[in-house]
Amino acid sequence: MRLLIVDDEEILIDLLQRTLKNYALDAVTDGEQGWIYGSTYPYDLIILDWSLPKLDGLSLCQRFRNHGYRMPILLLTVRNSSPEKIQALDAGADDYLCKPFDVEELAARIRALLRRSNSRSPLLSWGDLQLNPSNCQVLYQGHSILLTAKEYQLLELFMRHSQEVFGIEDILESLWPSVEYISEATVRSHLRNLRKKLKLAGLPEDPIKTLRGRGYGLKPLPQDNKLEKNFLPTQPEDKADKEARHLAALSAAWNKYRNKCHQQLTTLEEALEGLKTGYLSPNKREEARLSAHNLAGTLGIFGFDECSQLARELEQLLQKTVQEKKGKLLRFETIFNDLLVQLAIEDNPSNKISGRLTKHCPLLLVIDDDRNFTELLSEKALSEGIQIVVVPTPELARTWLEGLQDRLLPNVVLLRLSLVGAKTNDKDLEERLSLIAEFNLLVPSIPVIIIADRDHFRDRLLVARHGGAFYLKQPLLPAQVVAFCQQVLEGSSWGKKVMIVDDNVEFLRSLPDILEPWGFKLTTLDDPRQFWDVLQAVKPDLLILDIEMPHWSGIELCQVLRGYPCWSRLPVLCLSIHTDVEVRDEVFNSGFDEFISKPILGKQLADRITYHIAGSKHQ
């Protein structure tokens, strides 16, 4: 695969060349060169910065599209508002990534765009098994097979590359973003489920071949046994090695960038002196603005998020051409000095980046006094990328919890219950049931998995009444428990995209604070006329619409939305002050999944969002 990078920040180009080693890369530093290269050589994908010398990235993207070039284009920029994202996508960009970004996320987006652009075959076949990429339908002898999204992607990966073998790491690289540290057990679970569904559909044999120590691939059909020799072994890369290589590349790039960073800071310092004297020429102002712009994007890549934000504030101040006032000058000087201080403190990017890599690891709290079991469980959990804390009693669990900040609370809790021979008034049992209720009452609640020594209906009822989420019966292997914890973690709504359309601006402004504990990524819109453009740019996991809005009502928007097959399964919730039966009937007839009456508490709204997002995964 051949890629073109058009960016005036040489350190970024150097970093990408170090990390995107699987591609043939060409790199240029201005828009005119980008046009010459892009119109001369056949590229599989082009990466453009928005702010470029000579010809900006948006205009270059439009020029490519106006001349009929269809290669995928990914736009990089520090601009992150919804109107700017819409402008970029309307100009012809296929994807949009805000600076600062994680290089692993950029790599994942590149892979996704290349997969889309390489979907040349309208139909993939393995005997009577057919997969149609255009409508994501799988058929066997004309009968549809219902697969989950990941099961479908696995089957498509094997059928599209029928002569290749994929190790677990290869599958993760192809089907999951690199920043999501999915366990091998999760991949194998999806594979098992896919195989079961294909068998139930009537396939006479399992089409997926397991090559022990090497990976998985598509079996050759009986008449294609000669293809057996084309299966080549792959060597999965260890996750720790991958992270170490990533950190080494960033550290090397940072050492190379230091001098350029110093030059950009000198340019900003000269601009500050000019502001103090009362005159800063337009050219010097623009030079300083570009320096701040590049600092904002590049420092964030190295994990210096506070420095990146300070540089962005300097860029915003320099964008204003009005005569400087004393207050604004003082603010510029304060921000610049803060930037110098922070850079002096944060001199090593490795700690910042490694912290960013590990913060995505979920945390499991185990309350169990079986030392042998918990030691094996800890070993297995850590090998699967799950952080674990083990305490033997509910009392010590409360002590540990009291010393934490909210952001460090566990993602899931595992609690052992001894029910054989226990009485309902046993103190230890009461403490454990009380602790389950406490986790359930947190905002947001933390799911509690129970491991019990017997399985009676009344025991399950008792646990359910106290808020227990899941009930498991001994005996269990540590690997089974960890696999179940991973399934629970996958059902979390943390980071899911929620789009809310309502003409009540004050209501929209209050939502980020109200829903902040649940970790949703919110997009709010008060003008329904921008609905379609924003929807396509955001691609939300769930949509909330008010009924009564100027220009277009929520009911009209939902009716139009349901007319598109690609949006047919998107959960859509209705918000309204109306409660009469006629309005409810009209709401549900137009395609809404639920009717929610205003006003509504934050926890109630979050619970409904979480419920519908989780439900959409099982459709």
Side-chain angles (χ1 to χ4, degrees):
M1 292 290 180
R2 191 171 188 179
L3 275 57
L4 173 65
I5 302 171
V6 188
D7 197 299
D8 62 333
E9 193 56 50
E10 294 180 1
I11 187 62
L12 176 61
I13 291 174
D14 179 71
L15 178 60
L16 296 182
Q17 288 173 334
R18 290 172 182 267
T19 54
L20 302 177
K21 293 182 178 180
N22 292 331
Y23 307 102
L25 299 182
D26 289 335
V28 294
T29 56
D30 66 64
E32 288 296 345
Q33 282 184 307
W35 168 249
I36 293 171
Y37 272 68
S39 59
T40 304
Y41 303 104
Y43 290 102
D44 295 289
L45 181 140
I46 296 180
I47 301 172
L48 300 178
D49 187 25
W50 187 317
S51 298
L52 289 170
K54 299 184 180 179
L55 181 67
D56 67 83
L58 199 67
S59 300
L60 178 55
C61 182
Q62 290 173 322
R63 182 184 291 186
F64 279 128
R65 295 310 186 213
N66 291 338
H67 283 76
Y69 291 97
R70 309 313 307 164
M71 78 285 279
I73 296 177
L74 191 154
L75 200 66
L76 302 176
T77 179
V78 296
R79 311 179 190 201
N80 58 7
S81 68
S82 290
E84 288 168 327
K85 292 179 182 179
I86 293 167
Q87 187 181 3
L89 295 170
D90 285 342
D94 297 276
D95 201 356
Y96 186 107
L97 187 59
C98 293
K99 294 181 179 180
F101 55 83
D102 190 305
V103 179
E104 294 290 342
E105 180 182 356
L106 174 63
R109 289 176 181 264
I110 290 172
R111 291 192 297 272
L113 289 173
L114 290 175
R115 285 198 300 271
R116 273 182 245 159
S117 65
N118 288 330
S119 300
R120 299 185 183 95
S121 175
L123 196 66
L124 302 173
S125 299
W126 188 85
D128 292 331
L129 179 66
Q130 295 183 330
L131 184 147
N132 191 339
S134 62
N135 59 11
C136 298
Q137 189 175 36
V138 178
L139 301 173
Y140 179 68
Q141 295 182 345
H143 298 287
S144 178
I145 303 175
L146 297 179
L147 302 177
T148 65
K150 276 293 177 285
E151 291 163 2
Y152 172 87
Q153 291 169 14
L154 277 167
L155 183 59
E156 183 184 20
L157 179 69
F158 295 141
M159 295 183 72
R160 191 175 293 283
H161 306 279
S162 59
Q163 299 182 33
E164 297 180 31
V165 173
F166 294 88
I168 293 292
E169 286 292 331
D170 300 319
I171 295 173
L172 288 170
E173 285 285 334
S174 300
L175 303 185
W176 276 273
S178 299
V179 294
E180 296 181 16
Y181 294 110
I182 304 299
S183 70
E184 293 185 8
T186 300
V187 178
R188 293 193 176 97
S189 175
H190 286 298
L191 280 166
R192 283 195 300 271
N193 292 335
L194 173 60
R195 282 169 155 158
K196 287 179 183 177
K197 290 184 179 180
L198 294 177
K199 183 177 181 180
L200 289 173
L203 270 74
E205 69 172 300
D206 182 3
I208 301 171
K209 182 172 185 174
T210 301
L211 296 168
R212 198 168 293 278
R214 294 162 61 186
Y216 305 88
L218 194 68
K219 289 181 180 177
L221 291 170
Q223 65 270 29
D224 293 330
N225 285 333
K226 61 183 180 179
L227 297 179
E228 177 76 20
K229 62 183 180 181
N230 291 325
F231 279 81
L232 300 176
T234 59
Q235 296 297 327
E237 182 181 17
D238 182 76
K239 187 183 297 181
D241 291 341
K242 180 179 177 182
E243 292 181 8
R245 181 168 52 83
H246 180 57
L247 291 174
L250 284 168
S251 296
W254 171 248
N255 290 330
K256 189 173 180 180
Y257 176 64
R258 288 176 188 272
N259 291 335
K260 183 65 176 292
C261 176
H262 179 73
Q263 294 172 8
Q264 292 167 336
L265 291 171
T266 300
T267 301
L268 288 171
E269 187 175 17
E270 292 172 353
L272 175 60
E273 294 302 318
L275 293 172
K276 287 181 177 179
T277 60
Y279 177 72
L280 181 64
S281 69
N283 288 340
K284 287 292 185 181
R285 179 190 292 273
E286 179 61 16
E287 184 181 356
R289 188 195 67 79
L290 284 174
S291 293
H293 171 85
N294 290 330
L295 280 169
T298 309
L299 290 173
I301 293 174
F302 292 109
F304 301 148
D305 296 332
E306 293 183 22
C307 297
S308 175
Q309 181 58 39
L310 291 170
R312 185 171 287 110
E313 292 179 27
L314 292 176
E315 180 189 9
Q316 291 170 352
L317 286 172
L318 289 165
Q319 284 175 337
K320 302 173 183 178
T321 57
V322 297
Q323 186 174 358
E324 317 318 320
K325 296 181 179 179
K326 184 176 181 180
K328 192 166 73 171
L329 174 59
L330 180 60
R331 176 166 173 73
F332 188 99
E333 185 173 15
T334 301
I335 294 172
F336 179 72
N337 289 332
D338 287 346
L339 176 59
L340 294 178
V341 171
Q342 286 295 325
L343 277 176
I345 296 173
E346 300 178 346
D347 193 45
N348 184 1
S350 296
N351 294 333
K352 289 286 180 181
I353 298 297
S354 60
R356 183 182 287 175
L357 290 172
T358 58
K359 74 178 182 180
H360 299 289
C361 296
L363 175 60
L364 168 65
L365 172 62
V366 178
I367 306 169
D368 191 346
D369 58 0
D370 186 340
R371 179 173 296 181
N372 292 332
F373 177 79
T374 55
E375 286 179 355
L376 294 172
L377 181 67
S378 298
E379 182 179 347
K380 182 61 179 175
L382 292 172
S383 72
E384 298 295 342
I386 299 176
Q387 301 177 76
I388 185 168
V389 172
V390 178
V391 293
T393 65
E395 182 182 2
L396 290 176
R398 288 191 173 93
T399 302
W400 179 78
L401 289 165
E402 288 171 359
L404 293 181
Q405 300 176 4
D406 288 344
R407 62 185 179 86
L408 296 176
L409 286 172
N411 301 93
V412 64
V413 175
L414 184 69
L415 174 65
R416 184 182 294 273
L417 282 185
S418 297
L419 297 169
V420 175
K423 299 179 180 179
T424 54
N425 60 351
D426 283 356
K427 183 177 180 181
D428 182 70
L429 179 59
E430 289 179 356
E431 284 187 0
R432 291 173 186 266
L433 292 173
S434 175
L435 192 58
I436 296 172
E438 290 174 28
F439 282 116
N440 186 55
L441 291 173
L442 289 173
V443 180
S445 62
I446 298 174
V448 180
I449 303 171
I450 301 302
I451 296 182
D453 53 3
R454 74 181 184 192
D455 189 5
H456 293 171
F457 177 78
R458 61 178 178 272
D459 297 328
R460 288 181 175 268
L461 183 60
L462 180 65
V463 168
R465 284 174 173 171
H466 285 81
F470 304 97
Y471 192 104
L472 304 179
K473 168 69 168 59
Q474 296 175 358
L476 290 165
L477 296 174
Q480 293 175 305
V481 175
V482 170
F484 190 81
C485 289
Q486 289 168 331
Q487 293 179 28
V488 174
L489 290 166
E490 287 176 9
S492 169
S493 293
W494 187 272
K496 293 297 184 290
K497 294 181 288 186
V498 177
M499 177 176 169
I500 304 177
V501 186
D502 195 308
D503 62 326
N504 186 335
V505 177
E506 293 303 318
F507 171 69
L508 293 181
R509 287 176 179 171
S510 68
L511 287 175
D513 290 333
I514 292 174
L515 297 177
E516 189 273 337
W518 286 267
F520 302 122
K521 292 182 179 178
L522 290 181
T523 298
T524 58
L525 180 66
D526 61 1
D527 187 348
R529 290 174 295 183
Q530 302 173 18
F531 167 76
W532 188 246
D533 289 334
V534 175
L535 179 79
Q536 294 183 93
V538 173
K539 294 182 174 60
D541 298 295
L542 181 138
L543 175 66
I544 300 176
L545 299 174
D546 187 21
I547 288 185
E548 286 189 290
M549 294 184 289
H551 309 294
W552 298 332
S553 72
I555 288 177
E556 291 173 322
L557 292 179
C558 188
Q559 287 173 330
V560 172
L561 184 78
R562 292 310 192 200
Y564 286 83
C566 60
W567 296 110
S568 63
R569 294 188 177 183
L570 176 70
V572 184
L573 312 185
C574 166
L575 276 178
S576 176
I577 60 173
H578 299 287
T579 58
D580 52 288
V581 175
E582 290 79 7
V583 173
R584 286 177 176 267
D585 289 343
E586 188 178 6
V587 164
F588 286 113
N589 288 335
S590 62
F592 282 90
D593 294 281
E594 184 168 350
F595 184 99
I596 300 174
S597 298
K598 291 182 179 179
I600 183 170
L601 298 176
K603 184 180 185 305
Q604 293 174 334
L605 180 58
D607 287 344
R608 303 320 301 155
I609 293 172
T610 301
Y611 171 80
H612 284 283
I613 288 179
S616 68
K617 297 176 183 177
H618 303 292
Q619 292 182 355

